[in-house]
Amino acid sequence: MTLSVQFMTMLAMVGMGLFFGICLDTYQYFLKRPQRKRIIVFFHDLLFWTFQAMLIFYVLFLVNQGEVRIYIALALLLGFAFYQSILKAPYIRLLKGFISISVQFYHFMVKLIIMIVYKPIKSFILLLVSIMIILYKGLMALVKIVLRVLRFIVKVLILPITWIFSLVWLIMPNRGKKYVEKFSSEFAGYSKKIKKYWITWISNRKKQ
């Protein structure tokens, strides 16, 4: 391994130690250990450390074909210590500020979407429903008026016929009246029989 490769390896491992410190604090901040179950924390830790080890080895492979030397561990510790002593406090403040800005931006976007998209669509739907209800009530009122007019017209048309039948009934001889009454009673009897037959037939069909 040449001197330049060793120097690049040292710089890369110092950078990886610094990067590891950033990842560790970010991971700890979002994990919130006291609020998690132990089994969940265990699996998260396992995944985190596995990923970090693979990432460090990948960078090492890119720099010096994966040769492991003692100074590599020292370089990692140096980068991690540099982060812990100098960069940790500023990074934590930066991380909290970024999260706070992100949360505020998220709430702003939600409110913006509600005001620009949700509320106009809701108002438009309510307007359509109100128009439909008004049209329905107006149509029902118009139908009632038309039915009243038709009923009045039918009464007016039937009234002369009723008068004519009343006049005919008055001048009809008693024998004719008895015949009409007899026919009416027979017709009523037939109607009752037909009605009774249909009721019986329908009930038998339901039982089947």
Side-chain angles (χ1 to χ4, degrees), residues 73-183:
L74 295 176
L76 286 170
L77 289 174
L78 178 63
F80 183 72
F82 177 77
Y83 167 77
Q84 289 289 326
S85 59
I86 298 175
L87 298 180
K88 180 173 182 175
Y91 173 73
I92 293 296
R93 287 196 297 269
L94 181 65
L95 178 64
K96 290 181 179 180
F98 176 75
I99 293 172
S100 177
I101 292 172
S102 300
V103 171
Q104 291 177 8
F105 178 74
Y106 169 76
H107 289 306
F108 171 74
M109 290 301 297
V110 169
K111 291 180 180 178
L112 187 64
I113 291 172
I114 289 174
M115 295 200 49
I116 294 178
V117 179
Y118 174 73
K119 286 189 175 180
I121 293 176
K122 180 182 177 182
S123 301
F124 180 71
I125 293 173
L126 290 175
L127 179 63
L128 283 180
V129 172
S130 301
I131 291 173
M132 291 175 65
I133 292 172
I134 292 171
L135 289 176
Y136 173 77
K137 290 183 177 179
L139 183 62
M140 290 296 103
L142 182 62
V143 168
K144 288 180 181 180
I145 292 171
V146 171
L147 289 176
R148 288 178 183 176
V149 172
L150 290 175
R151 190 181 301 169
F152 176 75
I153 293 172
V154 169
K155 285 182 179 180
V156 171
L157 293 175
I158 290 176
L159 189 59
I161 299 173
T162 305
W163 289 346
I164 291 171
F165 274 107
S166 299
L167 183 60
V168 170
W169 182 261
L170 288 173
I171 63 176
M172 184 182 291
N174 292 330
R175 185 176 179 183
K177 290 180 181 180
K178 289 180 181 180
Y179 177 77
V180 172
E181 290 175 351
K182 182 180 179 182
F183 177 77

